[in-house]
């Protein structure tokens, strides 16, 4: 389905200029929300036991088996422009969350892609703790925007941040974003409401969409530090570090996409699997990164 065309037609009917719709649409992404208890056909499962290729051992980190978090049938998921999931086959997401939270090596998380036609068998778990209760999942589309374009949210603090920051205290990059919102997107509130109205979702798990701000911030920090160390860029003065980090985060949002992520739930672990667009298009899911956070109230 032509989702961009659907949005454009609706926005034109609302009287919004075509050029502004185009500018807004460049930032609009659709993710696939997964939820249990729906009446539609299942597109995946939370928990349960995986179907692994015959002869493949249960994924583990040394002698630590990794529980199956989620499995999705790529062929059953809605197709979304700009999100190059494999056309068929199954993606299996394994993670030992309490260990991944404490370890940044990535060894406690694994994604397995099983192409259609592969001979598989229901795997027997090494220990019962590897098998979560199984919940069948259905899909719905969800509109997403980068954090700086989202509506005011007390949890994120972004709206309050813009309101309280004086113009002279903004970095040049922050001023650039503010001018863009004020002058290039005068109908931002209407466009945002229209997108959320077309594709609302309160799903607890999302496939695709924007990388969590905390995760993309961590990637940006590592990227800048690595480029500094390699001599690719001059050393960044401490006073300019935050501004440069914001710019790097902004740049990286076009390179990275969320492959699977859990919604924020307090006093629970949640894992985000993220990947570069080009790696996903080539089905190089082994290049994905996993980040597990524990959300405290």
């Amino acid at each position: 389905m032509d989702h961009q065309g659907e949005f454009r037609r609706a926005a034109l009917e609302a009287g919004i200029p075509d050029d502004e719709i185009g500018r807004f649409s460049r930032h609009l992404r659709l993710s696939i929300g997964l939820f249990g208890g729906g009446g539609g056909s299942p597109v995946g499962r939370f928990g349960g036991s995986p179907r692994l290729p015959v002869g493949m051992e249960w994924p583990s980190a040394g002698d630590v088996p990794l529980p199956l978090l989620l499995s999705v049938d790529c062929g059953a998921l809605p197709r979304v422009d700009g999100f190059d999931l494999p056309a068929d086959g199954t993606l299996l997401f394994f993670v030992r969350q309490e260990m991944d939270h404490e370890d940044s090596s990535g060894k406690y998380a694994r994604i397995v892609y099983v192409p259609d036609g592969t001979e598989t068998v229901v795997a027997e778990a090494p220990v019962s703790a590897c098998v979560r209760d199984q919940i069948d999942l259905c899909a719905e589309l969800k509109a997403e925007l980068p954090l700086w374009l989202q509506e005011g949210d007390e949890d994120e603090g972004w709206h309050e941040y813009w309101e309280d920051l004086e113009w002279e205290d903004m970095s040049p990059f922050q001023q650039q974003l503010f001018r863009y919102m004020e002058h290039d997107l005068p109908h931002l509130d209407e466009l945002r409401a229209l997108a959320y109205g077309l594709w609302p979702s309160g799903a607890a798990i999302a496939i695709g969409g924007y990388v969590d701000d905390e995760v993309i911030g961590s990637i940006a920090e590592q990227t800048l530090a690595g480029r500094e160390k390699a001599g690719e860029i001059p050393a960044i003065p401490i006073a300019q570090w935050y501004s440069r980090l914001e710019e790097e985060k902004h740049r990286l949002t076009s390179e990275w996409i969320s492959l699977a992520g859990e919604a924020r739930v307090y006093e629970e672990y949640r894992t985000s699997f993220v990947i570069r667009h080009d790696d996903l298009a080539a089905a190089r899911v082994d290049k994905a990164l996993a980040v597990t956070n524990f959300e405290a109230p």
Side-chain angles (χ1 to χ4, degrees):
M1 183 175 179
D2 181 11
H3 299 108
Q4 289 284 351
E6 180 184 4
F7 179 76
R8 179 176 175 274
R9 288 189 293 272
L12 286 172
E13 289 177 4
I16 300 173
D18 190 44
D19 57 346
E20 185 181 351
I21 298 169
R23 287 192 292 271
F24 179 86
S25 295
R26 287 196 291 270
H27 307 291
L28 175 63
R29 288 184 186 176
L30 295 184
S31 64
I32 304 165
L34 303 180
F35 60 97
S41 299
V43 299
R45 295 181 304 178
F46 180 87
S49 296
R51 293 194 67 92
L52 294 175
V54 172
M56 181 178 179
E57 295 185 358
W58 189 287
S60 65
D63 60 354
V64 179
L66 307 178
L68 176 66
L69 177 69
L70 172 72
S71 60
V72 292
D73 177 357
C74 296
L77 292 173
R79 306 314 294 180
V80 174
D81 294 338
F83 186 39
D84 296 317
L85 274 178
D88 54 32
T90 303
L91 283 172
L92 306 165
F93 299 85
F94 296 85
V95 60
R96 175 74 66 174
Q97 290 182 306
E98 67 278 11
M99 293 184 174
D100 189 62
H101 173 59
E102 300 291 342
D103 188 294
S104 61
S105 68
K107 67 181 181 180
Y108 292 107
R110 187 87 48 82
I111 301 176
V112 175
Y113 173 57
V114 184
D116 271 4
T118 303
E119 187 179 356
T120 62
V121 63
V122 176
E124 182 176 346
V127 293
S128 60
C130 284
V131 182
R132 299 168 178 251
D133 292 340
Q134 179 178 311
I135 302 173
D136 287 342
L137 299 172
C138 298
E140 62 186 5
L141 293 181
K142 175 184 179 182
E144 291 196 17
L145 293 168
L147 183 59
W148 59 277
L149 275 182
Q150 291 176 19
E151 194 171 6
D153 187 329
E154 291 181 0
D155 291 335
E156 297 290 355
W158 188 257
H159 183 66
E160 182 180 350
Y161 171 76
W162 278 118
E163 284 189 342
D164 291 347
L165 194 62
E166 297 293 337
W167 180 260
E168 57 271 17
D169 295 328
M170 293 183 185
S171 69
F173 181 69
Q174 290 170 336
Q175 292 176 350
Q176 178 184 346
L177 289 183
F178 191 82
R179 286 194 196 97
Y180 179 76
M181 288 189 290
E182 289 287 297
H183 301 294
D184 292 359
L185 295 173
H187 297 87
L188 176 58
D189 289 343
E190 296 96 317
L191 289 163
R192 198 162 41 200
L194 181 59
Y196 292 151
L198 286 171
W199 301 292
S201 174
I205 300 174
I207 302 292
Y210 279 97
V211 175
D212 182 84
D213 187 67
E214 185 176 354
V215 175
I216 200 69
S218 176
I219 295 173
E221 285 191 67
Q222 294 175 43
T223 302
L224 280 180
R227 292 174 66 194
E228 271 190 323
K229 186 175 181 180
E232 296 177 9
I233 58 174
I236 302 170
I238 294 177
Q240 298 178 16
W241 175 258
Y242 184 71
S243 179
R244 288 293 300 275
L245 181 61
E246 283 187 304
E247 292 184 57
E248 188 68 9
K249 285 170 59 178
H250 192 76
R251 183 184 72 82
L252 289 173
T253 57
S254 64
E255 292 184 14
W256 290 81
I257 193 166
S258 174
L259 186 51
E262 298 177 278
R264 179 172 295 169
V265 179
Y266 291 127
E267 297 188 346
E268 288 189 17
Y269 292 105
R270 66 185 184 100
T271 302
S272 296
F273 294 87
V274 302
I275 193 169
R276 285 189 172 90
H277 283 277
D278 55 351
D279 286 328
L280 178 59
R284 295 189 292 261
V285 295
D286 59 307
K287 300 292 186 181
L289 301 178
V291 179
T292 300
N293 292 309
F294 183 82
E295 300 295 338

